[in-house]
Amino acid sequence: MKQISILGDSISTFAGVNPQGYSVYYDKDLQLRNGLNSVDDTWWAKVIHRMQGRLCVNDSYSGSRVTGEGFPAGASEKRIRNLRTEQHDPDIILIFMGLNDFAGGVELISSLDDFGFEDSYDFMLKTVKTIYPSADIVCGTLMRTVLRGRSVWQFPEYSAGAGFEQYNNSIRWVTQENQCYLADLCREDARYETLDGFHPTARGHAAIAGRWIECLGELGFLPPSPGLT
């Protein structure tokens, strides 16, 4: 079985399945509120099951961004080293981060004072490749959301001047430059259901998983479905 690790933010957390001391969004109460009956309802558990793999580490930290100085930024070496266990390095790393950077108005391009999102994502991928040279790295673009019961709500396309699609274009470009795999989850305007505009419900997790599985199939990562020859 392939060892599969997740590098993510609150969307991918689940109480009891993240490294000790990590901030977790989906505690017992929020699991229940969002309709998640078990860890099997998360997007990443569905994806790993379809890949016939095994979870290595769910290195997801609630509130974390790709950018930032030190842990828990996705680009920090300490965070990236947590993708392994004492027994295993990951064979495949799925990266699904960046929505907190977008929502927080992080600039795409670095300035004299701060690393921008694009450079931080680039540094993150370079560090992941250095530490795990044998792993396949798959980067997911960000997905728009819907609010359950509020059909008139519109996803914010801009945050502090940075466009949502600009963020995704940065992920696409940096992923290509680093010769990693791209899971273009937002293609064809795919969206997932939330109660708050950000965190997926059980239906939202299923929608995210469906897009990951579709993209991973196109990339050749999925074994044949059971019963198919």
Side-chain angles (χ1 to χ4, degrees):
M1 279 190 175
K2 295 286 188 181
Q3 296 285 331
I4 303 171
S5 286
I6 312 298
L7 183 57
D9 50 32
S10 58
I11 291 171
S12 304
T13 61
F14 196 89
V17 196
N18 298 98
Q20 186 174 5
Y22 270 40
S23 177
V24 172
Y25 176 78
Y26 286 103
D27 58 19
K28 296 298 183 182
D29 289 340
L30 285 168
Q31 291 169 27
L32 185 63
R33 185 181 175 207
N34 284 278
L36 279 70
N37 296 314
S38 75
V39 69
D40 294 331
D41 291 324
T42 62
W43 74 265
W44 51 267
K46 293 177 183 293
V47 170
I48 291 174
H49 176 75
R50 179 60 185 87
M51 296 177 79
Q52 298 180 19
R54 176 178 291 139
L55 177 66
C56 185
V57 177
N58 180 7
D59 187 9
S60 299
Y61 195 108
S62 183
S64 64
R65 301 174 177 180
V66 175
T67 55
E69 295 184 9
F71 184 87
S76 70
E77 182 176 334
K78 179 179 178 180
R79 179 78 183 276
I80 291 168
R81 288 194 179 277
N82 286 345
L83 288 162
R84 60 159 57 114
T85 67
E86 291 184 1
Q87 296 79 26
H88 298 288
D89 277 5
D91 300 304
I92 301 171
I93 299 169
L94 307 181
I95 300 177
F96 191 33
M97 289 191 73
L99 201 52
N100 284 324
D101 300 84
F102 168 74
V106 174
E107 295 292 340
L108 287 171
I109 307 302
S110 298
S111 66
L112 292 176
D113 299 318
D114 295 296
F115 254 51
F117 177 77
E118 193 169 285
D119 286 333
S120 295
Y121 207 101
D122 179 67
F123 183 79
M124 176 177 68
L125 293 189
K126 285 178 168 54
T127 305
V128 171
K129 292 187 72 172
T130 298
I131 297 175
Y132 309 104
S134 299
D136 289 321
I137 303 163
V138 189
C139 304
T141 54
L142 309 178
M143 292 176 66
R144 295 175 176 83
T145 66
V146 297
L147 272 180
R148 182 199 291 175
R150 293 181 59 183
S151 58
V152 297
W153 183 81
Q154 293 186 344
F155 182 84
E157 292 293 329
Y158 292 89
S159 179
F164 185 77
E165 196 57 24
Q166 289 176 286
Y167 264 77
N168 276 336
N169 283 336
S170 287
I171 292 173
R172 294 180 183 112
W173 183 80
V174 173
T175 299
Q176 181 179 11
E177 286 294 300
N178 284 278
Q179 298 181 319
C180 298
Y181 294 94
L182 176 71
D184 206 348
L185 309 176
C186 75
R187 191 177 58 202
E188 299 176 2
D189 196 27
R191 297 171 186 249
Y192 64 85
E193 181 188 82
T194 74
L195 300 179
D196 61 4
F198 188 89
H199 301 93
T201 61
R203 288 183 61 185
H205 275 277
I208 296 170
R211 288 298 299 130
W212 269 103
I213 290 169
E214 183 178 352
C215 291
L216 289 168
E218 294 169 354
L219 293 169
F221 279 96
L222 301 185
S225 297
L228 295 180
T229 58

